[in-house]
Amino acid sequence: MRDIWRSEAHDFTPWLAREDNIAILGDTLSMELEVEAEESNVGPFRADILCKDLVDNSWVLIENQLERTDHTHLGQLLTYAAGLQTVTIIWVAARFTEEHRAALDWLNEITDERFRFFGVEVELWRIGDSAAAPKFNVISKPNEWSRSVSQASRRLENEPVTETKQMQLDFWTELQGRLEGHRTLRSRRPRPQHWTTYSIGRSGMHLAGLFNTRDNRVGVELYLGDDNANAYFQQLELQRPAIEAELGFVPLWKALPERRACRIIVYLENIDPADRSRWPEYHSWMVRTLEAFSRVFKDRVARLEIAPPDGEM
């Protein structure tokens, strides 16, 4: 792997934190990972990648090595666990020694459900002159992890699905197939619900597609959803004329000051959700609109600043 990356911090970590690569790692571990920060301080150390698992909104910390595992990184993992109290830790390395594999197995045995430790070996595969592609191999995981994941999957499969829920699942599944290989829009696993989300590159915010069978409309929105949502919304609203000119249409601006969320949203009204022959039309509108939102908002979202407390400048 040193042929591809010379430095862990400057080459390997940014590569692993890319949305497509972190998604492959998440799929391998049955998680939905979203990067929160790179090189983030945890106690006296700097964690390589800090993520959220969107399934349960829990912290996931990733430490990576280009070489075989060593005692220094194992010590850092224990410090991270102590500092975060409740966390999933993923140790990614080119090769695990037997003693470090055994150490992770032991940690999973003696800790409670607040802590989960994964050991993952990474390989790179290349065919001809193609770009190198990652392959992740799980060599250590929490006790009963595979069983708990499969049980959760069976519960979802066995739960009764209403006609509306099945229609929602089918709608998102077809849209996901249409977006296969899309460079910027990668949705989460299709679920029987009225929305699906797409990364905008910043935690607490995302793009979303909406399939509203009650009000007969589909929509696309930028969702701002943390404690600073209203401050972020105000910063974007100052740019409203430029944003609407670049979008080519006028969305609804929903400040929602009484809630921890703000939305900028546009709808395609008066659709027939049950008419599957028209779904390609709705999907086309949704893809065009998501692409426009991504193009117009991605850089702006990256530049948003947390407002200072009252009285500070």
Side-chain angles (χ1 to χ4, degrees):
M1 293 197 297
R2 287 287 184 185
D3 294 336
I4 303 296
W5 305 295
R6 293 182 179 273
S7 164
E8 288 177 6
H10 298 105
D11 299 318
F12 185 38
T13 297
W15 174 88
L16 183 57
R18 277 172 34 190
E19 184 178 352
D20 50 349
N21 294 323
I22 209 73
I24 295 172
L25 178 61
D27 289 343
T28 302
L29 301 176
S30 298
M31 299 178 186
E32 293 190 20
L33 299 177
E34 182 175 84
V35 174
E36 181 88 2
E38 298 177 41
E39 298 295 327
S40 178
N41 288 327
V42 181
F45 298 109
R46 291 180 68 83
D48 289 334
I49 303 173
L50 191 61
C51 297
K52 281 288 185 72
D53 183 357
L54 298 183
V55 172
D56 57 9
N57 205 38
S58 62
W59 288 112
V60 178
L61 189 146
I62 301 173
E63 186 70 11
N64 55 64
Q65 291 184 255
L66 283 172
E67 310 291 349
R68 71 176 184 176
T69 53
D70 58 38
H71 293 336
T72 299
H73 282 79
L74 177 60
Q76 289 177 200
L77 298 182
L78 295 178
T79 302
Y80 299 151
L84 293 174
Q85 294 296 316
T86 301
V87 66
T88 296
I89 290 179
I90 305 172
W91 191 1
V92 179
R95 184 168 66 85
F96 270 75
T97 65
E98 285 301 319
E99 58 265 35
H100 292 140
R101 182 202 305 252
L104 291 187
D105 291 342
W106 177 73
L107 286 168
N108 281 319
E109 288 176 7
I110 66 170
T111 53
D112 59 28
E113 65 276 0
R114 293 179 301 152
F115 303 96
R116 299 183 297 192
F117 296 87
F118 290 88
V120 179
E121 289 184 341
V122 59
E123 299 176 352
L124 286 175
W125 292 67
R126 171 180 283 163
I127 300 174
D129 295 327
S130 66
K135 181 178 185 296
F136 297 106
N137 303 309
V138 181
I139 59 93
S140 180
K141 59 189 175 183
N143 302 329
E144 306 295 319
W145 175 253
S146 297
R147 182 179 300 177
S148 65
V149 170
S150 62
Q151 287 174 344
S153 298
R154 283 197 297 272
R155 281 199 304 271
L156 288 174
E157 292 171 358
N158 293 332
E159 285 180 356
V161 179
T162 65
E163 182 178 349
T164 297
K165 291 295 183 184
Q166 185 62 54
M167 182 165 56
Q168 291 167 344
L169 178 60
D170 293 344
F171 184 87
W172 298 129
T173 300
E174 290 188 20
L175 179 60
Q176 186 184 50
R178 179 163 183 164
L179 290 172
E180 191 73 30
H182 197 283
R183 294 181 60 185
T184 58
L185 299 175
R186 187 184 188 281
S187 66
R188 309 297 175 188
R189 184 179 296 109
R191 299 184 185 279
Q193 57 196 23
H194 74 272
W195 76 93
T196 192
T197 63
Y198 303 84
S199 172
I200 193 67
R202 187 160 175 174
S203 178
M205 311 178 194
H206 58 249
L207 299 180
L210 309 171
F211 182 55
N212 191 324
T213 57
R214 183 188 61 189
D215 296 330
N216 295 328
R217 62 188 183 185
V218 294
V220 167
E221 71 173 5
L222 171 66
Y223 175 88
L224 311 173
D226 68 10
D227 291 333
N228 301 292
N230 282 284
Y232 294 147
F233 182 86
Q234 291 170 16
Q235 292 173 53
L236 290 173
E237 198 165 28
L238 291 174
Q239 306 173 59
R240 183 169 177 170
I243 287 172
E244 292 180 348
E246 292 175 35
L247 286 173
F249 52 82
V250 178
L252 300 173
W253 294 71
K254 296 188 174 183
L256 305 178
E258 73 283 359
R259 298 177 57 186
R260 238 179 113 254
C262 300
R263 292 174 164 87
I264 301 172
I265 188 168
V266 63
Y267 293 110
L268 179 64
E269 304 277 6
N270 301 317
I271 70 162
D272 182 359
D275 186 355
R276 295 182 179 233
S277 68
R278 297 192 63 188
W279 280 9
E281 172 189 342
Y282 307 151
H283 289 153
S284 294
W285 177 88
M286 189 167 286
V287 171
R288 289 195 307 272
T289 309
L290 283 166
E291 288 174 337
F293 266 57
S294 179
R295 182 185 70 253
V296 172
F297 285 112
K298 191 175 184 65
D299 289 342
R300 286 183 168 93
V301 163
R303 294 193 298 266
L304 292 175
E305 298 179 352
I306 298 174
D310 291 342
E312 292 187 17
M313 293 298 293

